[in-house]
Amino acid sequence: MMCSNNEKIRILFLGEIISSHAQSWMDLLNQESASFDIRCFAVPGTPYPKNSPYKSALGHFKKLESNRIPFELHSKFLEFILRTYKPHIVHSFAAFPTAALYAPVLKRYKNKLKWVLQVRGGPDVYMNRFDPVKRDVLKDLFKHCDVLIADNDINYDIATELGIESSKKWDYGIAPGTGGVDLSEFTAALKPSLSQKRVIWPKAYEGFESKGLPILEAIKIAWPKIKGTQFTFTAGNTELNDRLHFLPQEILDCIDVRTRIPRHEMLELMQQSRVVLAPSLLEGIPNSLYESMAAQCVPIYSPLETYSDKFADKKNVLYARNLYPQEIADALVTAINDDTLADKIAANNIAYIKEIANRGDIADNIIKLYKSLTKA
């Protein structure tokens, strides 16, 4: 849909709007907020965030939250929103469930709006392409979207494999799901040799993407050489928390277990820490990796296909495979005790983060993209 010069560009964001990643992405438009009218519609089962600066697309249905709408009626409500709000652009967060759920409606409105499909790392595309049914869904999404945005090159390659036109891949390239890193948010960060001996484990849970038990075992193995180190576990689930009791009391006394915390609190914690510990089995490029680099922490991550070519071992990260406790333990001992290497990694990363995840650059380019779509 064309947009007149004096008209705000109407963008409807679809997905898990409560996600800090979604909120952070929408914040990219703040630098030119007068040019945009933003509305949101949350997928089934996800509440609309309280105190969000972004309006729910349900408008005058103030008492109706999208997570309370029966699943089978969601598409009907989306169609109503498209007819009444008349967005110039629909931006969907994630192929599954968001884009797959709403694609039939969006395809019917193909000539009346532009569709930006933003896919997540990990299973969203990387794993789901192996499922014959989901593979066909992905092919259909790539065929009908107008622009694809991915957080890693592998996802763009898979999209090419599945038939996307090359012109649909965002010409800026890859972009973190949060919209990048603003170094002004990390002014309290200290180089590792001056920071507290604290380790943050931001995804302290058992799941198919990462396993927690090898990490607990690694802490036990490393403990004689890192005694007194403080640990903060966040986003823990019951399955893992129940197993903490098998750790020696001496280690338990040094662990602070928290639930999911707001992004700004996580960034504060990172700036008070020396290490971010996040081995995994399946991910795109983790947003926490970018943030740990900006916070001058030593990142301990796994050498996954989606990012190992972009971050070098002992230059940007310390690599340890998720299912190998001894590798994780060795990385912990090095990160805590080797001040020279830790400071070198931090210095390398501050320079590198400006190149690969500069929030200001990404904001400029996404605004440019949205504007160009309304002129096409």
Side-chain angles (χ1 to χ4, degrees), residues 1-279:
M1 182 187 286
M2 300 287 284
C3 180
S4 62
N5 291 333
N6 59 354
E7 186 181 12
K8 285 189 174 185
I9 298 171
R10 294 186 295 279
I11 304 180
L12 176 65
F13 286 96
L14 303 177
E16 295 180 14
I17 304 301
I18 197 168
S19 159
S20 61
H21 294 175
Q23 295 284 313
S24 182
W25 184 272
M26 293 186 289
D27 286 346
L28 289 171
L29 305 186
N30 285 349
Q31 70 181 48
E32 208 172 309
S33 56
S35 298
F36 299 96
D37 175 8
I38 295 173
R39 302 292 168 90
C40 306
F41 188 58
V43 291
T46 61
Y48 195 79
K50 294 178 181 177
N51 305 318
S52 172
Y54 304 108
K55 297 176 184 176
S56 167
L58 292 170
H60 57 276
F61 296 101
K62 291 181 180 176
K63 294 184 179 180
L64 185 61
E65 292 187 23
S66 58
N67 65 305
R68 299 189 180 212
I69 299 171
F71 185 88
E72 60 273 15
L73 293 181
H74 250 259
S75 292
K76 298 284 186 187
F77 269 88
L78 175 60
E79 193 151 9
F80 170 78
I81 290 164
L82 296 181
R83 288 202 311 266
T84 54
Y85 174 52
K86 297 181 179 178
H88 299 101
I89 297 167
V90 170
H91 183 125
S92 56
F93 294 115
F96 298 95
T98 308
L101 174 63
Y102 297 129
V105 176
L106 295 176
K107 287 192 293 185
R108 286 200 294 274
Y109 284 77
K110 188 171 177 61
N111 296 326
K112 297 182 178 181
L113 55 81
K114 296 295 183 180
W115 177 13
V116 176
L117 169 61
Q118 184 173 12
V119 293
R120 296 185 290 199
D124 201 29
V125 173
Y126 187 78
M127 286 298 290
N128 284 331
R129 78 188 196 273
F130 296 118
D131 180 317
V133 174
K134 290 184 176 178
R135 185 180 180 87
D136 286 343
V137 171
L138 287 170
K139 285 181 179 178
D140 191 57
L141 297 180
F142 297 148
K143 178 181 178 180
H144 290 98
C145 73
D146 293 289
V147 179
L148 173 68
I149 298 176
D151 78 340
N152 65 86
D153 289 323
I154 299 287
N155 277 352
Y156 280 132
D157 292 343
I158 293 168
T160 299
E161 208 180 285
L162 297 182
I164 197 170
E165 297 171 23
S166 59
S167 61
K168 291 184 176 184
K169 294 187 287 188
W170 190 23
D171 58 11
Y172 180 78
I174 64 173
T178 57
V181 172
D182 180 356
L183 286 176
S184 69
E185 294 184 285
F186 295 87
T187 54
L190 299 172
K191 64 181 181 179
S193 61
L194 298 178
S195 66
Q196 300 177 45
K197 290 200 170 183
R198 178 190 300 279
V199 177
I200 298 178
W201 182 12
K203 296 181 179 179
Y205 53 73
E206 283 288 333
F208 70 92
E209 295 172 317
S210 62
K211 296 299 175 184
L213 286 180
I215 295 176
L216 297 183
E217 182 63 23
I219 294 170
K220 284 174 64 178
I221 295 170
W223 190 252
K225 296 180 180 178
I226 62 170
K227 277 190 178 183
T229 298
Q230 300 297 305
F231 287 83
T232 300
F233 295 177
T234 67
N237 62 9
T238 303
E239 185 178 357
L240 189 73
N241 289 344
D242 287 347
R243 289 166 178 170
L244 293 179
H245 303 294
F246 294 103
L247 292 173
Q249 190 61 46
E250 181 185 22
I251 298 178
L252 281 175
D253 290 342
C254 294
I255 296 176
D256 175 21
V257 180
R258 306 189 188 186
T259 56
R260 290 190 181 274
I261 60 175
R263 182 169 174 268
H264 71 274
E265 286 185 30
M266 177 60 75
L267 300 189
E268 288 173 9
L269 263 177
M270 285 184 175
Q271 292 176 82
Q272 299 164 11
S273 304
R274 180 176 174 117
V275 178
V276 172
L277 178 64

